[in-house]
Amino acid sequence: MDGSQPYNPRTVEEVFRDFKSRRAGIIKALTTDVEEFYQQCDPEKENLCLYGYPNEQWEVNLPAEEVPPELPEPALGINFARDGMPEKDWLALVAVHGDAWLLAVAFYFGARFGFDKADRKRLFNMINDLPTIFEVVSGSAKKQVKEKSTVSNHSSSKSKPNSKAKGSEQQSKFPKVSTPKDEEEEGLEEEEDEEEHGDTLCGSCGENYAADEFWICCDICEVWFHGSCVKITPARAEHIKQYKCPACTNKRARP
């Protein structure tokens, strides 16, 4: 896989981009691609690891053969625990180990390229502003958003708007067509929209809401997703009566 090729980010910004990309790959494996990930983690196989790559892809594979490896290695043998616990708990366990691995890789680069105390602190603060993989996978990131929404006196019963797509006032899944406004009025509306939904996180990539992006909410788990992350366009959403995210679609009874 191209994402496994050596890559050495040298600045705080480059290391953070590397962190975000690897994180996006792992979140994808544990959410939108969870069925494929589950199947690849066969307990009958050898010790397997979950890798996230700088191209935002993921891979289940054997650990590197060289000792010591070029980069810190993810948790070994995640496949052995797959059938020994409920799927939700197993995914949460893999998520926690994924968080630990990402921090190890980020600060490996920081040590290798001589980040000083200020750079290390800045890198950690940038990383800490993102929800952890565990928070995204377990849904606690969504709960935190709801709690913040309640504290800031949002009167709605949910932290999300009633409609199932961002930017819509009707019960539809596509953004409304905006009417012409003067620049000052439009700017104020955008600021209000960003303030109200700025803490909303995508259930796939974990990134924050932006007013210029199409979002859709799962009618089952009520988690919001970037349309691009779940391959739903505004035109397609218009014809969906009940939207199920990939994770809810792929849920089935495990032995």
Side-chain angles (χ1 to χ4, degrees):
M1 179 180 288
D2 292 339
S4 62
Q5 296 303 312
Y7 170 62
N8 295 317
R10 295 173 180 269
T11 67
V12 171
E13 288 71 25
E14 288 177 344
V15 172
F16 182 60
R17 279 199 302 270
D18 179 83
F19 176 94
K20 283 177 61 179
S21 298
R22 294 177 187 273
R23 171 179 171 275
I26 295 176
I27 289 175
K28 185 179 179 183
L30 301 179
T31 55
T32 57
D33 295 346
V34 66
E35 186 69 17
E36 181 182 353
F37 172 66
Y38 183 93
Q39 295 300 331
Q40 289 191 26
C41 291
D42 186 347
E44 298 300 319
K45 296 180 179 179
E46 299 179 64
N47 288 291
L48 295 174
C49 302
L50 172 61
Y51 293 87
Y53 292 126
N55 61 359
E56 300 189 4
Q57 299 302 310
W58 60 275
E59 181 180 40
V60 171
N61 208 339
L62 296 171
E65 293 183 2
E66 66 266 24
V67 178
E70 182 179 356
L71 290 177
E73 285 290 294
L76 185 68
I78 57 171
N79 53 314
F80 295 150
R82 190 193 75 176
D83 295 343
M85 61 178 69
E87 180 185 354
K88 182 179 179 181
D89 294 342
W90 175 67
L91 291 174
L93 177 66
V94 176
V96 168
H97 283 296
D99 284 317
W101 177 64
L102 289 180
L103 281 173
V105 171
F107 281 88
Y108 164 84
F109 285 131
R112 180 173 178 180
F113 296 112
F115 288 7
D116 60 18
K117 181 178 180 180
D119 283 342
R120 292 194 304 271
K121 183 176 181 180
R122 186 156 65 94
L123 174 60
F124 178 78
N125 287 338
M126 292 167 74
I127 290 172
N128 202 38
D129 282 338
L130 296 173
T132 64
I133 298 173
F134 172 78
E135 287 172 336
V136 173
V137 171
S138 67
S140 59
K142 175 191 169 191
K143 293 176 184 177
Q144 290 174 17
V145 170
K146 284 191 174 184
E147 289 170 0
K148 289 179 183 178
S149 180
T150 302
V151 170
S152 59
N153 295 322
H154 288 306
S155 60
S156 59
S157 60
K158 296 189 294 184
S159 63
K160 320 296 187 298
N162 289 332
S163 60
K164 293 299 179 182
K166 296 290 184 187
S168 174
E169 292 179 351
Q170 294 86 22
Q171 293 295 325
S172 60
K173 292 185 172 61
F174 59 99
K176 65 181 179 183
V177 178
S178 58
T179 55
K181 305 179 181 69
D182 60 56
E183 291 183 2
E184 183 177 354
E185 182 183 353
E186 187 173 350
L188 287 172
E189 285 198 1
E190 286 181 359
E191 287 180 11
E192 290 173 359
D193 195 41
E194 288 285 356
E195 184 178 349
E196 182 178 356
H197 308 305
D199 288 332
T200 303
L201 303 173
C202 174
S204 178
C205 69
E207 295 298 316
N208 287 66
Y209 164 72
D212 60 347
E213 296 175 308
F214 171 71
W215 282 54
I216 188 166
C217 181
C218 176
D219 287 301
I220 306 303
C221 64
E222 297 184 352
V223 173
W224 286 89
F225 297 89
H226 288 106
S228 57
C229 287
V230 291
K231 298 180 174 59
I232 299 292
T233 63
R236 184 180 173 190
E238 185 177 357
H239 301 288
I240 299 176
K241 292 182 179 180
Q242 183 185 56
Y243 174 66
K244 281 187 180 182
C245 70
C248 289
T249 301
N250 290 329
K251 277 181 182 176
R252 58 183 179 85
R254 303 293 184 196

